[in-house]
């Protein structure tokens, strides 16, 4: 490692691995290290032994889970890929699709007045849903027509609403939508985590609703995709891309210190060695003195032997519990996958219940979600801090990624990747065609 | 197994059975050279490590089947013990290479055998290959020693030379004969026939058929 690199990347989370791959493809000399002996960082997927070691050290593994280590790939952070989102574009652009098979998540649900209901999106579903009355269905239909016909460059499609300036609240008011409908549009379709979006320009929420609907129309059952064998396949795939283009990988490598000279990064120290470099990209855990805590997420990883009730026995679902329904400020999310996704043995299901922490008793905040799960085999509850970099790295050449947030998909990861790429490379990431390939036959 | 030309009509109509094959072994024992000899029938001295290939493919005809080897190179990730679990995932065959002039490389090969036994698909078929027999004058690993180890661990065993081409096609031919195809086909069938699930909900993010149009020629 006593060489000089263009970029040293610390941590093998998804953001770091995508950037490492993109930079290697461009011909940059990349060294990628991780203090752990596995890929994925905070977003790794663990087997049962690792899971108990991490969360319940010393505790006996239940009999029915023992001896199935090979079959368990339990995600620590719950995320799905939006079928028409930026993450899928990056996968296709880089050809990382070759390493991983994806499956649809079977259903998208939301919690309303004590029950869970399918999120209605198609015209047929809107007509059939029991969530709202007949008159409201007509209003919702005209809202959807407005959304689908809206064209920024054609004022005649705006119906007097310039989405760049009016708030989302004003748009709802124009269509005279009921609070229940707003709740499902804002939280179940636009996937807003709280209600602050109502007072922001409507374009943001419009884009999010369009993303949901386009993703939904792509494969049919839900807008979400999931990689077989767990989310950890994704950083591994991008790491392989990086390695194929010359990136050097070192797992289980102690990272002692980021070395500076005159306020700028000049290398990374590990034991007696210093690897020199021009720039460092890392996750917040490698630069704790240069990040600010911006919040906390509580997650419960749950192993069960049955699908979530009232989801038509779906092998995988997302359930959103909008904040208003349970007197909170932030929504509670449930993401569930099963043996059909090669993350656990046959007959088992893995769910993660999560929300942004609002009180001093975070585990209690998950209760509305836990209630929907019924009987469980075991659960692993943990709170993690969310960090944001204190500065943008352009002055010291240390570029820090954002922590995994509470969103249920990879879109904010992609925003961060593009933003970091621009700061590190000095130009926008363009994803036209495919990455250049070598001598493959 | 036979060489098969483009005009083999029956063969070209068959859907090939895809077999993932992984390459393992110490740096510089000739892993990539073996694959290049097998796939392109070429050899380069002082070959630089492979850049830019996700994997190489080669078709073989075996009895009434066409086997499409999808050959994964480590891309150097083994150098600092950083191979991802994805690498072994669903591999049906492995070629573990050592250099007959370097005893330490056989010891390293043995640790890869153990690693595969621990991590990989239990039905994986493994071939141990002693490369560089063109340098037999400098031999430092006796044939019998490596063979005995291979027999003990139920591995196929060859000495070969990527430089001269000796025994290279044989490695892949013998591997191809040992792969439990019935099991692969049965698995594929199970995955695709669960009730109420359209192809079990799997999606194809890109139209990968375009990638499968590589030449129909086989090398073994």
């Amino acid at each position: 490692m006593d060489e000089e690199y263009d970029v040293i990347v610390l941590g093998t989370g998804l953001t770091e691995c995508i950037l490492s791959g993109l930079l290697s493809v461009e011909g940059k000399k990349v060294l990628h290290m991780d203090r752990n002996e596995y890929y994925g960082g905070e977003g790794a997927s663990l087997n049962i032994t690792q899971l108990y070691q991490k969360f319940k050290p010393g505790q006996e593994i239940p009999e029915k889970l023992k001896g199935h280590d090979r079959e368990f790939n339990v995600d620590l952070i719950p995320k799905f890929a939006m079928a028409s989102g930026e993450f899928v574009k990056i996968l296709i652009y880089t050809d990382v699709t070759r390493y991983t098979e994806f499956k649809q998540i079977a259903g998208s649900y939301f919690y309303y007045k004590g029950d869970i209901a399918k999120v209605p999106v198609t015209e047929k579903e809107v007509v059939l849903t029991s969530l709202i009355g007949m008159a409201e269905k007509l209003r919702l239909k005209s809202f959807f027509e407005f959304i689908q016909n809206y064209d920024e460059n054609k004022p005649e499609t705006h119906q007097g609403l310039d989405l760049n300036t009016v708030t989302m609240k004003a748009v709802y008011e124009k269509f005279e939508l009921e609070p229940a409908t707003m709740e499902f549009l804002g939280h179940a379709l636009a996937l807003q985590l709280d209600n602050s979006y109502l007072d922001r320009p409507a374009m943001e929420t419009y884009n999010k609703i369009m993303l949901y609907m386009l993703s939904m129309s792509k494969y049919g059952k839900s807008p979400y995709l999931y990689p077989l064998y767990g989310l950890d396949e994704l950083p591994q795939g991008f790491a392989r891309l990086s390695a194929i283009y010359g990136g050097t990988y070192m797992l289980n490598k102690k990272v002692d210190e980021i070395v500076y000279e005159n306020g700028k990064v000049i290398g990374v120290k590990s034991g007696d060695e210093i690897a020199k470099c021009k720039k460092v990209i890392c996750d917040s855990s490698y630069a704790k003195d240069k990040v600010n805590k911006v919040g906390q997420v509580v997650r419960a990883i749950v192993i069960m032997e049955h699908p979530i009730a009232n989801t038509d026995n779906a092998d995988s679902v997302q359930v959103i519990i909008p904040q208003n329904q349970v007197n909170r400020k932030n929504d509670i999310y449930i993401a569930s996958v099963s043996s059909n996704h090669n993350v656990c043995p046959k007959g088992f299901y893995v769910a993660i219940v999560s929300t942004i922490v609002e009180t001093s008793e975070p585990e209690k905040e998950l209760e509305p979600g836990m209630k929907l799960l019924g009987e469980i085999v075991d659960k692993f509850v943990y709170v993690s801090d969310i960090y944001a970099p204190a500065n943008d790295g352009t002055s010291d050449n240390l570029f820090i990624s954002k922590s995994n947030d509470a969103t249920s998909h990879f879109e904010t990861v992609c925003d961060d990747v593009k933003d970091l790429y621009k700061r590190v490379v000095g130009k926008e990431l363009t994803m036209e065609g495919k990455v250049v390939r070598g001598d493959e036959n | 197994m036979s060489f098969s030309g483009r005009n083999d009509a029956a063969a070209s109509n068959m859907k090939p059975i895809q077999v993932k094959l992984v390459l393992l072994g110490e740096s510089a024992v000739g892993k990539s050279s073996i694959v290049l000899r097998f796939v392109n029938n070429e050899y380069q001295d002082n070959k630089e490590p492979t850049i830019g290939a996700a994997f190489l493919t080669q078709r073989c005809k075996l009895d009434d089947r066409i086997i499409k080897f999808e050959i994964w190179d480590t891309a150097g990730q083994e150098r600092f013990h950083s191979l991802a679990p994805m690498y072994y995932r669903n591999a049906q065959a492995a070629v573990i290479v050592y250099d007959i002039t370097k005893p330490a490389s056989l010891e390293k090969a043995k640790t890869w055998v153990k690693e595969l036994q621990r991590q990989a698909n239990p039905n994986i078929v493994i071939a141990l290959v002693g490369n560089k027999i063109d340098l037999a004058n400098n031999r430092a690993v006796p044939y019998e020693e490596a063979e005995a180890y291979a027999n003990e661990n139920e591995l196929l065993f060859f000495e070969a030379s990527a430089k001269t081409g000796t025994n290279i096609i044989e490695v892949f031919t013998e591997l191809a004969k040992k792969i439990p195809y019935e099991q692969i086909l049965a698995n594929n069938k199970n995955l695709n026939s669960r009730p109420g699930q359209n192809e079990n909900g799997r999606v194809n993010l890109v139209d990968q058929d375009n990638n499968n149009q590589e030449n129909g020629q086989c090398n073994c």
Side-chain angles (χ1 to χ4, degrees):
Chain A
M1 79 177 257
D2 289 319
E3 284 180 62
E4 185 154 359
Y5 297 87
D6 292 316
V7 180
I8 295 180
V9 184
L10 306 177
T12 53
L14 183 57
T15 307
E16 287 73 32
C17 287
I18 296 175
L19 283 163
S20 177
L22 292 170
L23 293 170
S24 289
V25 165
E26 287 189 8
K28 299 269 192 303
K29 193 172 176 192
V30 177
L31 171 64
H32 201 156
M33 304 194 269
D34 194 309
R35 67 169 80 86
N36 297 315
E37 58 179 5
Y38 50 82
Y39 283 91
E42 296 285 306
S45 308
L46 304 182
N47 64 32
I48 282 295
T49 305
Q50 292 169 322
L51 204 59
Y52 276 84
Q53 258 163 19
K54 184 172 173 74
F55 294 110
K56 299 185 172 181
Q59 192 179 311
E60 184 77 3
I61 298 173
E63 205 52 47
K64 59 175 74 161
L65 300 179
K66 263 188 194 165
H68 287 291
D69 260 353
R70 272 175 200 247
E71 294 162 86
F72 274 104
N73 298 291
V74 180
D75 301 328
L76 296 179
I77 309 275
K79 298 261 182 199
F80 294 145
M82 303 291 290
S84 292
E86 285 300 300
F87 181 64
V88 169
K89 281 185 202 151
I90 293 179
L91 282 173
I92 293 171
Y93 170 67
T94 54
D95 255 355
V96 168
T97 46
R98 300 183 139 212
Y99 305 132
T100 308
E101 260 191 283
F102 284 83
K103 246 182 180 179
Q104 280 194 76
I105 292 298
S108 178
Y109 289 80
F110 87 119
Y111 179 90
Y112 184 68
K113 291 188 177 166
D115 279 321
I116 61 178
K118 207 161 196 293
V119 176
V121 183
T122 63
E123 200 168 323
K124 193 177 156 205
E125 283 170 340
V126 170
V127 171
L128 291 175
T129 185
S130 56
L131 294 167
I132 51 176
M134 207 52 223
E136 181 70 355
K137 283 177 185 175
L138 292 174
R139 291 190 286 267
L140 181 57
K141 199 165 164 257
S142 26
F143 172 82
F144 276 139
E145 280 166 5
F146 164 70
I147 288 274
Q148 274 161 347
N149 293 327
Y150 188 88
D151 182 335
E152 226 178 326
N153 303 316
K154 292 184 186 155
E156 66 270 25
T157 66
H158 294 185
Q159 302 191 25
L161 297 167
D162 177 353
L163 298 186
N164 284 309
T165 53
V166 302
T167 64
M168 196 60 207
K169 201 176 185 174
V171 176
Y172 288 151
E173 278 164 4
K174 158 102 179 178
F175 290 91
E176 298 174 341
L177 296 173
E178 292 169 359
T181 313
M182 290 188 223
E183 189 164 72
F184 125 76
L185 289 171
H187 293 261
L189 289 197
L191 307 171
Q192 298 283 12
L193 298 169
D194 59 40
N195 264 346
S196 60
Y197 78 96
L198 287 170
D199 299 317
R200 292 197 294 267
M203 187 51 90
E204 170 201 329
T205 303
Y206 163 82
N207 283 331
K208 290 184 171 194
I209 293 176
M210 285 307 285
L211 173 61
Y212 188 99
M213 295 179 74
L214 284 173
S215 298
M216 185 76 198
S217 64
K218 199 120 191 197
Y219 303 106
K221 288 183 193 165
S222 84
Y224 305 114
L225 302 176
Y226 186 84
L228 292 185
Y229 299 100
L231 297 178
D232 201 23
E233 296 294 292
L234 302 171
Q236 288 177 37
F238 285 97
R240 180 164 168 81
L241 173 75
S242 180
I244 279 170
Y245 280 89
T248 302
Y249 274 81
M250 293 183 178
L251 295 185
N252 206 9
K253 186 81 182 167
K254 214 166 96 193
V255 176
D256 293 317
E257 195 187 338
I258 296 169
V259 187
Y260 298 85
E261 204 175 274
N262 301 324
K264 284 191 190 294
V265 162
I266 55 153
V268 172
K269 188 164 182 255
S270 172
D272 300 334
E273 303 168 292
I274 292 184
K276 289 187 185 149
C277 66
K278 300 181 186 85
K279 291 169 184 177
V280 167
I281 299 173
C282 67
D283 71 48
S284 54
S285 69
Y286 290 87
K288 284 189 171 144
D289 53 332
K290 304 218 166 181
V291 294
N292 298 318
K293 187 173 153 184
V294 293
Q296 283 187 311
V297 183
V298 57
R299 301 184 176 99
I301 299 167
V302 182
I303 297 172
M304 326 184 281
E305 290 177 286
H306 56 80
I308 296 174
N310 304 318
T311 57
D312 209 11
N313 287 325
D315 65 6
S316 51
V317 287
Q318 179 177 76
V319 184
I320 295 172
I321 306 176
Q323 29 103 5
N324 262 344
Q325 294 291 321
V326 286
N327 294 318
R328 292 177 51 77
K329 293 191 190 71
N330 296 281
D331 294 356
I332 300 170
Y333 276 73
I334 304 173
S336 173
V337 284
S338 66
S339 58
N340 280 350
H341 307 85
N342 302 24
V343 297
C344 57
K346 241 190 162 63
F348 287 92
Y349 293 77
V350 180
I352 304 184
V353 186
S354 60
T355 192
I356 291 173
V357 174
E358 296 174 10
T359 70
S360 56
E361 291 179 287
E363 185 171 354
K364 228 174 157 186
E365 297 182 47
L366 296 175
E367 262 173 24
M370 296 299 291
K371 268 188 201 153
L372 297 178
L373 302 184
E375 200 182 321
I376 66 172
V377 178
D378 208 347
K379 65 175 174 183
F380 308 86
V381 183
Y382 74 107
V383 173
S384 58
D385 295 336
I386 308 173
Y387 294 99
N391 62 57
D392 71 0
T394 44
S395 62
D396 57 3
N397 287 331
L398 174 67
F399 301 89
I400 306 167
S401 65
K402 292 178 179 165
S403 309
N404 285 296
D405 60 24
T407 62
S408 61
H409 47 66
F410 293 112
E411 297 305 296
T412 53
V413 168
C414 295
D415 291 344
D416 199 28
V417 164
K418 287 183 187 172
D419 199 44
L420 280 161
Y421 180 92
K422 194 177 166 189
R423 279 180 272 143
V424 172
V425 179
K427 60 175 180 135
E428 299 276 348
L429 172 63
T430 50
M431 295 190 286
E432 277 159 24
K434 295 256 183 179
V435 294
V436 188
R437 303 210 67 83
D439 55 353
E440 190 170 337
N441 74 335
Chain B
M1 187 86 109
S2 71
F3 285 93
S4 129
R6 280 161 212 268
N7 46 11
D8 193 330
S12 65
N13 286 334
M14 266 189 289
K15 202 171 181 260
I17 303 172
Q18 197 152 308
V19 170
K20 176 174 171 182
L21 182 150
V22 294
L23 278 170
L24 291 163
E26 202 171 67
S27 301
V29 293
K31 298 187 291 292
S32 295
S33 297
I34 286 176
V35 176
L36 283 181
R37 171 62 74 188
F38 173 56
V39 171
N40 296 338
N41 198 17
E42 64 180 31
Y43 178 82
Q44 300 162 17
D45 265 323
N46 302 318
K47 193 189 168 308
E48 292 288 317
T50 328
I51 296 283
F55 36 73
L56 295 165
T57 57
Q58 178 61 283
R59 288 169 194 241
C60 290
K61 189 168 174 289
L62 175 71
D63 302 331
D64 55 347
R65 293 198 174 97
I66 294 181
I67 291 111
K68 183 180 163 197
F69 278 117
E70 187 181 286
I71 304 167
W72 290 47
D73 199 287
T74 56
Q77 283 179 301
E78 87 287 10
R79 249 185 303 156
F80 303 104
H81 314 284
S82 304
L83 260 188
M86 164 185 273
Y87 188 72
Y88 312 109
R89 184 103 62 218
N90 295 327
Q92 285 113 6
V95 173
I96 301 180
V97 186
Y98 70 94
D99 176 343
I100 64 153
T101 69
K102 295 205 173 77
S105 70
L106 177 62
E107 292 313 307
K108 183 69 202 176
K110 290 177 184 175
T111 66
W112 284 118
V113 172
K114 282 205 196 87
E115 181 74 0
L116 284 179
Q117 285 164 345
R118 202 169 59 88
Q119 297 257 20
N121 165 7
N123 300 314
I124 191 167
V125 185
I126 304 173
L128 178 69
V129 178
N131 191 27
K132 308 195 184 175
I133 46 165
D134 49 289
L135 303 176
N137 289 341
N138 301 326
R139 174 190 287 278
V141 179
Y143 181 95
E144 295 72 23
E145 181 193 331
E147 189 190 34
Y149 168 77
N151 287 343
E152 217 172 280
N153 288 275
E154 297 177 7
L155 318 174
L156 293 168
F157 175 64
F158 299 89
E159 285 193 340
S161 167
K163 187 167 187 174
T164 62
T166 310
N167 260 351
I168 298 296
I169 284 175
E170 286 74 4
V171 170
F172 293 87
T173 308
E174 291 306 310
L175 270 174
K177 286 183 190 164
K178 281 258 191 150
I179 289 163
Y181 298 101
E182 303 307 331
Q183 215 162 3
I184 296 174
L185 292 171
N187 272 346
N188 291 345
K189 207 171 168 192
N190 271 341
L191 286 172
N192 292 330
S193 66
R194 254 170 237 175
Q197 294 242 13
N198 183 15
E199 292 211 352
N200 207 25
R202 290 190 192 208
V203 299
N204 193 358
L205 295 182
V206 280
D207 186 19
Q208 287 184 331
D209 286 343
N210 292 337
N211 297 333
N212 293 334
Q213 299 295 323
E214 74 284 272
N215 65 46
Q217 260 185 324
C218 304
N219 210 0
C220 63

